[in-house]
Amino acid sequence: MKEGKISVVVIGGGETGTPLLRQLAEAPFVEILGVADLDEDAPGMMLATEKGIATTTDFMELVQKGSEVDIIIEVTGVSEVRERLRTYMQQSENHHTIIMHEMIAILMMSLSRGKLVDMKHGEIEYK
């Protein structure tokens, strides 16, 4: 953590990442270093662009920022992404950055809404 801000990157700009990204962008104590999604037109990518936040289709570009990143928020729901993240973090010996799982993001959004955000068949349903 630097300058009183928590630095984050968001991997996944879809239905889970976008509402979370919106909340993060409004928090004065959060510095978003970038957003990654394979779809350049994903809602989170468009939101990031509107807010002047860097975007990429290669999430490893953001992960390779190393200890500059406090938290990697992974909300893709893709197990291969999680595995690549874990492997890279072990090999790079980055003991600073933590990877936040999608379920924690859902918990945070549920808390902010005052009710559980439903999940159905791996997809998130917002009410």
Side-chain angles (χ1 to χ4, degrees), residues 10-15 35-45 55-59 62 75-76:
V10 178
I11 301 174
E15 293 200 19
V35 177
D37 197 287
L38 290 176
D39 179 2
E40 292 179 344
D41 296 322
M45 296 284 273
T55 61
T56 181
T57 56
D58 179 3
F59 72 90
L62 300 177
V75 287
T76 65

Side-chain angles (χ1 to χ4, degrees), residues 1-3 5 7 20 24 26 29-30 52 63 65 85 104 106 109 112 124:
M1 193 164 84
K2 61 181 180 183
E3 303 170 24
K5 290 190 175 198
S7 63
L20 185 59
L24 291 167
E26 292 174 8
F29 51 86
V30 174
V63 175
K65 290 182 177 282
L85 281 172
I104 297 172
I106 292 166
M109 287 187 297
S112 72
I124 298 169

